[in-house]
Amino acid sequence: MDTNAIFAGKGQESSGTTDNFLPSKVIAVINDPKHKKLNLSWAIPRMVRNEREHHMREAAKSAVSHASKMPRLFNKALWDISQVHKRISDLAEEDLNSHGVSVVECDMSRVNWDALTYAAGFRQLPFSPDNSKEKGFKDAVVAETFFQFCSDVIDKTTDTAIVVTNDELLREHILARTQGKRVKVVENIDALSNELNVLASDIPPSLAQQLPSVAVSLLKDDATFWASVYQEIEAKHAASINSYPNANNVRVFKRTFQPPVFLRKEMTRVSFQCRLDIELVGSFWVPAPPSQEALAAFNLAGSYSGSGVYGSQPLGPEDLRSFNLGFPGTAPPVGSTWPTIPQPPRPGGPVGRWDDFLLPPVSFEVTWSADYVQTEDLAGNVTPRITNPHFDELELIHTP
């Protein structure tokens, strides 16, 4: 696993703001009982461990700074930076050991430094060709660590190595050097989970690769399926996502789902999981004339920009209203306080207008299943076909 596989920056799955070395999604894949029969081994390069520890150190800086100003309240372990760094290293070691993740060292004496420095100077893979930035050394060390691992382990067995990285240059570099021989590169943990689930099922790999696109096509055109999902959202999660103080007339702006991840095959049924993001728009009271402070407050309150890479569920006229009277769409109480959003109109208050602003999305994990068959055309080409999607389970994974 590359660094970007275990650290998601400021995203929801990021463990950069906690003291966990590995994010929960990675731990879930490692501990998935369906994968036991695959005889998996998990590893990260030393460079990745160092970089991930650096992220944890950066996340701890603020806490250390506050503790150092209050030495009588906090013990020395909280404000002594060297002790904090040691504790982070200890936590990293504990997490990796408890989940069976080994750290692979890079033997610098085995690195072809002439070739590496030549590639760096001429901006060849894995170095970025962009002259405006210097990028690639850490990726080069990660790649060299992997090549040594293949030479020491993979080349002497019948095993296959899977690299998890979303860095396109590193991906191209690894595939070019290994020529794809018993080596595969996937872009994130979801893609890895999909790959492992396929290996643990009885679906041929050639057909399994087609399943995500087939599943996307099926979901985009099935209004009945999504009606069941939205009904479940209204029934069980209306109150929990009613978290937009001072917003009035909140309604759906766009619904977007990510490519489904294959989970398992049982008899003739296949199960998938996909993320559903519901973007909302709400009306806020803007005093006239709007001040720069007010506009900045609106940005802090929830201006949001996003794009549906894989397409949005088709929307109808009902999407231009609130889900229902209490979801959330009710006017804020008179006299309520909110530190960053101007108050709505009240007797004697400033004049102004209601303006619409995009709100942060509410996200769900949707688990569903469908009928699976393999069809063959006259030329003998076999393709997977899935029909009759059934909504199985819904989990709220993010609210603003």
Side-chain angles (χ1 to χ4, degrees):
M1 293 181 287
D2 192 8
T3 307
N4 48 60
I6 61 174
F7 177 69
K10 298 181 180 179
Q12 180 198 353
E13 258 304 310
S14 170
S15 57
T17 55
T18 73
D19 53 5
N20 295 320
F21 188 87
L22 298 171
S24 59
K25 181 174 286 188
V26 173
I27 294 173
V29 175
I30 291 176
N31 296 329
D32 194 324
K34 299 192 301 292
H35 304 154
K36 286 186 177 180
K37 66 180 182 180
L38 297 177
N39 192 26
L40 297 171
S41 296
W42 298 85
I44 59 173
R46 171 62 64 180
M47 175 63 78
V48 170
R49 169 164 176 173
N50 293 348
E51 191 172 11
R52 180 67 190 95
E53 281 194 39
H54 170 71
H55 294 151
M56 297 176 72
R57 291 183 180 187
E58 289 296 300
K61 275 185 176 180
S62 177
V64 172
S65 175
H66 287 294
S68 65
K69 297 175 183 177
M70 308 175 75
R72 296 175 62 192
L73 179 61
F74 298 104
N75 62 49
K76 187 175 181 180
L78 292 177
W79 53 266
D80 186 323
I81 193 67
S82 62
Q83 291 193 38
V84 171
H85 288 176
K86 182 182 183 304
R87 182 56 181 152
I88 287 174
S89 184
D90 291 343
L91 287 174
E93 189 73 17
E94 292 173 13
D95 287 354
L96 292 172
N97 289 339
S98 64
H99 298 296
V101 181
S102 62
V103 177
V104 182
E105 305 290 344
C106 182
D107 185 349
M108 297 302 175
S109 66
R110 296 168 59 184
V111 176
N112 186 339
W113 290 104
D114 287 340
L116 193 63
T117 53
Y118 182 90
F122 286 94
R123 303 298 179 90
Q124 297 176 353
L125 293 175
F127 297 91
S128 173
D130 187 348
N131 289 323
S132 65
K133 58 183 178 182
E134 297 284 345
K135 177 189 177 301
F137 180 75
K138 288 184 294 185
D139 295 330
V141 175
V142 168
E144 291 297 325
T145 307
F146 176 70
F147 298 145
Q148 292 178 16
F149 172 79
C150 287
S151 176
D152 296 340
V153 179
I154 302 301
D155 292 349
K156 299 176 182 178
T157 67
T158 58
D159 293 338
T160 295
I162 302 176
V163 181
V164 188
T165 179
N166 65 9
D167 190 291
E168 186 65 24
L169 296 176
L170 180 58
R171 174 185 178 278
E172 291 181 19
H173 180 55
I174 289 175
L175 292 178
R177 281 275 297 269
T178 61
Q179 297 182 342
K181 183 179 179 182
R182 302 205 336 265
V183 169
K184 187 162 190 174
V185 183
V186 296
E187 63 180 2
N188 53 39
I189 293 299
D190 281 342
L192 175 66
S193 179
N194 190 82
E195 182 77 18
L196 298 180
N197 291 337
V198 167
L199 291 173
S201 73
D202 59 356
I203 300 176
S206 59
L207 299 184
Q209 293 177 359
Q210 304 175 45
L211 282 180
S213 60
V214 173
V216 167
S217 298
L218 178 65
L219 292 190
K220 287 183 68 174
D221 298 327
D222 200 306
T224 302
F225 170 84
W226 289 110
S228 300
V229 176
Y230 302 146
Q231 184 177 2
E232 181 81 355
I233 292 174
E234 292 190 28
K236 295 186 177 181
H237 297 285
S240 63
I241 66 174
N242 185 3
S243 56
Y244 300 99
N246 292 351
N248 189 42
N249 191 28
V250 175
R251 62 265 193 209
V252 173
F253 173 71
K254 183 171 64 175
R255 303 182 182 117
T256 305
F257 64 92
Q258 299 300 317
V261 174
F262 172 72
L263 296 179
R264 58 189 173 273
K265 178 178 179 291
E266 298 175 350
M267 304 297 288
T268 60
R269 296 286 291 179
V270 286
S271 296
F272 297 86
Q273 195 172 71
C274 64
R275 174 174 170 142
L276 170 67
D277 293 316
I278 299 180
E279 297 177 44
L280 305 173
V281 62
S283 301
F284 291 86
W285 180 253
V286 181
S291 65
Q292 292 299 318
E293 290 78 9
L295 293 177
F298 283 122
N299 289 333
L300 291 174
S303 264
Y304 176 80
S305 175
S307 59
V309 179
Y310 299 99
S312 298
Q313 166 68 10
L315 305 179
E318 71 277 4
D319 296 315
L320 300 180
R321 59 165 176 79
S322 300
F323 280 104
N324 56 48
L325 292 178
F327 187 64
T330 53
V334 174
S336 62
T337 59
W338 187 249
T340 58
I341 303 177
Q343 296 297 305
R346 58 181 179 268
V351 297
R353 67 181 186 277
W354 289 100
D355 273 356
D356 288 339
F357 291 85
L358 288 176
L359 301 170
V362 180
S363 302
F364 299 88
E365 204 82 81
V366 181
T367 303
W368 58 282
S369 57
D371 292 327
Y372 173 84
V373 295
Q374 295 175 187
T375 61
E376 184 175 351
D377 61 20
L378 296 177
N381 300 314
V382 179
T383 56
R385 183 168 179 262
I386 55 177
T387 56
N388 302 321
H390 179 268
F391 162 62
D392 296 327
E393 190 177 355
L394 183 79
E395 179 183 0
L396 178 65
I397 59 174
H398 178 60
T399 56

